[in-house]
Amino acid sequence: MLFWMRVKHYISFILALFMGVSHSFAQEMFGAASSNYAGQMGMDLNPASIVNAPYRWELHLVSMDVSVLNNYMYLAKNSRLIRKSFKGESVAQERFTDKYTTKPNKWAYNSAFLKYPAFIYSGKKFALGFHISTREELSARNVPFHLAKFLKEGFDYDQQQGINYTMNKPSNTVLINWHELSFTGGAKLYDTPEAFITGALTVNYNYGLNAVYVQIKDLQYNSVADTLLVIDNIDLEYSHAVPDNGNNGVQKTLQKKGGGWSTSFGMEYYRNRNEAFYNPCRKKEGKPYDYKIGASIIDLGYMKFNKNARIYKFDNVNTDWYGIDTVKFDGFGSTDSILQQQFYGNYHGAKDGYGFKVFTPAAVSVQVDVPLNSFFYVNASVIQRLPLGPMAVSRSNQVAITPRLETRRLEIALPFSLYDYFRPRIGASIRYGVFTIGSDMLGPFVGLTDTYGADIYFAISIKHFPVCGREGRGKRPRLEQCKTPGKS
């Protein structure tokens, strides 16, 4: 399965303790999430966004987002990735290269979700929503440059051989994959001509599928030669609840291995909300509000994995590993056995437990939305991860400025964002009718700069809007025939 192939590609080298075999950020979809018409695409950033939305209800059919970002590997500019893909051609291997610098430490984030049919009801007094989705989140942080290079080139990389290396801070890698069953409830909290305040809470049941956790607290080593790796000290803990080769094959990827709960909650404040703007009997004149400020805490929760789960600890051990170049790591079970035999002399010396808890990628967010007129808006959003400990998927810190043209049928947004204070990037999103497609990173598509990641998302949803009234069956009155709010 694609998921398992990607897990093995990104994680197997870490579980193998960087012994010759070879990363998540929760993507916010800034181009779509900041919209007043975002629906399911925006409630993950702030659940309160579904209260008193311009639509009455939304039937969400499907949406998907896949994102990856790192500060080490990149695709060189002018690689013509998209053009060559359409022609069935491949990009030359030398176009994929690494940024080989001693600072900063290397990090990587990867995120993917698939959201199934879902529903939102939005009224002025209250709103309800539910959805089911499958998610994958992975983060790798504080990987030292020399270890990243060995992972890419192998321990026969001549320029780093014969040098004593040590880590300058602990490194953490966490991956979780799960089904999410969610219910959201929101309500109007305060309503005056000057101030309109809404709030909402989302409760998620997390059906845990797979998880991997690695923490390297200390590592001192020297790749003396192609065939000899000297590890003077290693302090490592890792856990996994995943299918393995053989009896625990790939077919068990979607079996339940754990469970837990998480929540998101938020509020929104509208200054001088224009009630007439939301009235279907009135022309949309003026601005919907002077400004809107939202605040939220998102993805605060956990999962406990206790089925097919193992914990291993290597407490300040060392080894001279002869023949490292011939060792084959084939699956998690094989890796566990090889490492224990090498460091402890038996196949069970590092086993420490059978269940572990992993925290979801929690963060706090603030959003500010300012309409310049009835259809042109500028949104500013900030996301700051919440540190829940080493056994938590780390969300990337993000800042985004998103100008957008927004109408009921058509919307175009151009988010300018900064991820983990690394590199600025420009995205684009378009919504027309029921279909939305976009990316917060256009680099891979245009190829004008070196590209350190990729992102694409889409959604199909049907929205029903309030109507003014009817004169007879199937007829709508002209606007001038509608009642004025507050008058009989």
Side-chain angles (χ1 to χ4, degrees), residues 12-210:
S12 61
F13 70 89
I14 298 174
L15 285 184
L17 280 187
F18 30 86
M19 306 302 181
V21 289
S22 268
H23 82 167
S24 128
F25 76 105
Q27 174 62 26
E28 314 307 338
M29 302 177 295
F30 289 115
S34 58
S35 170
N36 289 304
Y37 298 89
Q40 290 283 348
M41 301 283 280
M43 63 188 299
D44 295 332
L45 183 61
N46 192 331
S49 64
I50 71 172
V51 182
N52 194 42
Y55 52 88
R56 181 58 52 84
W57 53 259
E58 178 195 63
L59 176 60
H60 172 278
L61 299 179
V62 66
S63 62
M64 184 179 71
D65 174 49
V66 178
S67 303
V68 62
L69 183 69
N70 80 110
N71 68 341
Y72 182 57
M73 298 295 298
Y74 67 92
L75 176 66
K77 63 181 180 180
N78 299 323
S79 294
R80 299 179 177 86
L81 175 64
I82 304 303
R83 183 187 305 177
K84 290 187 176 182
S85 297
F86 278 114
K87 292 182 178 181
E89 302 174 359
S90 60
V91 176
Q93 186 65 33
E94 59 267 19
R95 304 298 294 174
F96 293 94
T97 187
D98 60 331
K99 187 176 183 180
Y100 186 53
T101 58
T102 59
K103 293 181 180 180
N105 283 340
K106 310 310 174 185
W107 49 258
Y109 303 102
N110 169 239
S111 176
F113 78 77
L114 177 64
K115 187 174 287 189
Y116 309 106
F119 185 79
I120 291 174
Y121 168 79
S122 178
K124 183 177 180 180
K125 293 184 178 181
F126 71 93
L128 299 172
F130 68 87
H131 75 261
I132 301 174
S133 61
T134 299
R135 295 179 59 182
E136 178 234 347
E137 303 283 348
L138 183 148
S139 62
R141 296 182 55 79
N142 294 324
V143 179
F145 78 94
H146 46 84
L147 181 55
K149 189 64 174 181
F150 275 133
L151 291 174
K152 177 179 180 292
E153 306 288 352
F155 283 97
D156 58 352
Y157 183 63
D158 294 342
Q159 296 182 35
Q160 289 192 161
Q161 286 185 340
I163 302 174
N164 292 320
Y165 287 112
T166 185
M167 297 184 66
N168 56 8
K169 61 174 62 177
S171 175
N172 294 288
T173 297
V174 183
L175 175 141
I176 48 177
N177 169 229
W178 75 103
H179 295 316
E180 184 178 78
L181 291 77
S182 302
F183 176 82
T184 301
K188 174 184 69 175
L189 304 178
Y190 187 75
D191 186 6
T192 68
E194 295 80 20
F196 184 80
I197 302 176
T198 65
L201 171 71
T202 296
V203 177
N204 308 307
Y205 172 70
N206 300 320
Y207 183 99
L209 299 175
N210 305 281

Side-chain angles (χ1 to χ4, degrees), residues 408-479:
R408 176 183 292 190
R409 178 171 294 275
L410 174 67
E411 182 170 342
I412 300 173
L414 298 172
F416 174 85
S417 53
L418 185 67
Y419 290 85
D420 243 25
Y421 316 115
F422 175 50
R423 279 175 173 254
R425 57 205 67 239
I426 297 176
S429 173
I430 183 169
R431 171 180 57 85
Y432 182 76
V434 302
F435 189 69
T436 299
I437 188 169
S439 171
D440 286 352
M441 291 179 269
L442 288 179
F445 302 96
V446 297
L448 299 180
T449 61
D450 294 338
T451 302
Y452 287 80
D455 164 61
I456 189 168
Y457 57 83
F458 78 90
I460 301 174
S461 62
I462 300 170
K463 293 180 175 64
H464 173 75
F465 296 88
V467 294
C468 179
R470 298 184 182 277
E471 284 186 343
R473 195 169 185 178
K475 297 181 180 180
R476 293 186 184 181
R478 296 188 303 271
L479 288 175

